[in-house]
Amino acid sequence: VAPGLRLAWVAGHPAAVEGVVRARQDFSVSALLARAIERFCRSGAFDRHVELLRERYRRKRDLTTAALRRHCEPLVAFREPVGGFYFWLRVADDVDWAHARDLAAADGVAVRPGDQFTGGTDGPRFVRLSPIQVPDDEIEPGIAVLGRALQAARRSPAQS
């Protein structure tokens, strides 16, 4: 329903549910908020809200995919997400990713390096990218900045 809203329910075998109930803590969930969410869900508004989000996120995914293909291939490889919020980009080996990230940041585009999200040594070759909070009209220009930074940070074959 909303980011940060923590409200859930449990369904399962009665013995399992009973165990959860015994260990449960309510973490100060407001009874008023819980009732409002229950009404929101029963009214059908939740289903309409989810469909609206699916359309919005699909549009953002499609805009991002097209921009990445136009501005960043072949310097990144990726699969278009079929769910979730994130693109996982693999940066080409002939790109100095640290330098590219600095260039993009200097041009106003911050990108989170993959090593913040992995435990392995491949993390620095990856980028996690999410267009969800970015206005539609800023996706293409932001990806173009990333593409220019990647191109500028490309090593010559002798440097690779």
Side-chain angles (χ1 to χ4, degrees):
V1 174
L5 177 63
R6 302 293 184 246
L7 186 65
W9 64 91
V10 174
H13 188 277
V17 172
E18 184 179 324
V20 170
V21 169
R22 273 196 308 264
R24 172 189 162 271
Q25 297 179 19
D26 71 7
F27 298 110
S28 302
V29 172
S30 160
L32 178 62
L33 177 62
R35 178 59 92 183
I37 295 298
E38 185 264 340
R39 284 191 171 189
F40 178 71
C41 290
R42 283 189 190 272
S43 75
F46 176 73
D47 294 329
R48 290 189 299 275
H49 178 67
V50 168
E51 191 51 42
L52 212 147
L53 291 177
R54 282 185 181 141
E55 291 171 20
R56 181 178 300 147
Y57 295 163
R58 186 178 301 118
R59 183 181 65 249
K60 288 179 179 293
R61 180 206 59 199
D62 293 347
L63 288 168
T64 303
T65 297
L68 284 168
R69 288 188 175 137
R70 193 168 18 263
H71 299 287
C72 297
E73 283 185 334
L75 300 176
V76 298
F78 67 95
R79 286 186 297 204
E80 184 178 73
V82 293
F85 299 125
Y86 302 103
F87 283 78
W88 192 244
L89 313 178
R90 186 189 189 291
V91 178
D93 291 336
D94 64 342
V95 172
D96 178 343
W97 172 236
H99 183 55
R101 192 174 66 239
D102 291 344
L103 291 171
D107 210 0
V109 173
V111 183
R112 299 182 106 186
D115 53 358
Q116 293 180 355
F117 308 100
T118 66
T121 59
D122 285 342
R125 300 280 355 131
F126 288 88
V127 179
R128 189 175 92 159
L129 184 72
S130 175
I132 298 307
Q133 298 298 325
V134 178
D136 289 0
D137 62 344
E138 292 180 18
I139 291 173
E140 173 106 20
I143 299 292
V145 166
L146 177 61
R148 288 191 299 272
L150 291 165
Q151 188 63 44
R154 200 169 193 183
R155 296 181 195 105
S156 67
Q159 294 173 310
S160 294

